[in-house]
Amino acid sequence: MFHLDKEKFRVGMRTTKSGVAVGLCVLLFKLLDRGSPMLAGLASVFALREDCSQSLHHGIRRVGGNSVAGILGVTLIAIKDFLGLDFSVDFFGTIIAVIILITVCNVLDMSTAIVGATATFLVVFYNIDDTEKISYAIQRVLDTVIGTSIAIGVNYLLPNAPQTPSEN
């Protein structure tokens, strides 16, 4: 059954920073009339880590993974349009693209970005209208850059929680 651990019921600095980062994404997107802040908000939560160095490390990998995914998605769409083979490219192309995506992420030391990059590829390839795929791929990477930048800024500006002697 479920067990409620009352000692884990606390709001720490990383949780607070995540909330602030997402809120800043919402504010920025509203001010810029940029549309939905969902992807930037997700990027900020994924990028926000223990310190600025770790946030930068994970953020760069996430942006890189989404960039590779967007390029693969757009490339596969171009191949599909050129060959005119809908199901064959959907089936075999997706298999090959996911394998390439995971391999490239591993080779570039971006394994932490594989899940998000795969989601980006699948959304670009399957859920976006053909006329908007390239624009969406670019906007998705840009939203990731925005969310990651906000997370790094929040992590830099807000203090870290003090460490206890056992955490040193």
Side-chain angles (χ1 to χ4, degrees), residues 26-157:
V26 171
L27 178 63
L28 180 65
F29 274 57
K30 183 66 173 176
L31 292 173
L32 297 177
D33 195 26
R34 186 160 164 72
S36 173
M38 181 191 71
L39 298 174
L42 285 172
S44 70
V45 172
F46 288 142
L48 208 138
R49 301 294 168 143
E50 297 77 30
D51 56 39
C52 286
S53 173
Q54 287 296 311
S55 290
L56 185 61
H57 174 84
H58 287 280
I60 288 171
R61 278 145 185 80
R62 185 153 174 82
V63 169
N66 279 353
S67 298
V68 172
I71 291 167
L72 278 170
V74 169
T75 301
L76 195 56
I77 291 161
I79 291 169
K80 184 176 175 175
D81 290 345
F82 179 76
L83 296 177
L85 302 171
D86 285 341
F87 179 73
S88 297
V89 173
D90 284 355
F91 181 70
F92 294 109
T94 298
I95 292 169
I96 293 167
V98 169
I99 290 169
I100 291 170
L101 177 61
I102 293 170
T103 302
V104 168
C105 283
N106 282 328
V107 166
L108 297 176
D109 189 32
M110 298 185 307
S111 61
T112 58
I114 289 172
V115 172
T118 303
T120 295
F121 166 76
L122 293 171
V123 168
V124 166
F125 192 69
Y126 287 106
N127 281 3
I128 306 300
D129 292 333
D130 288 344
T131 57
E132 298 175 15
K133 289 183 189 273
I134 293 173
S135 172
Y136 178 83
I138 292 168
Q139 293 307 316
R140 174 117 189 196
V141 172
L142 182 58
D143 288 355
T144 302
V145 169
I146 291 169
T148 298
S149 299
I150 288 174
I152 292 167
V154 166
N155 218 352
Y156 178 78
L157 293 172

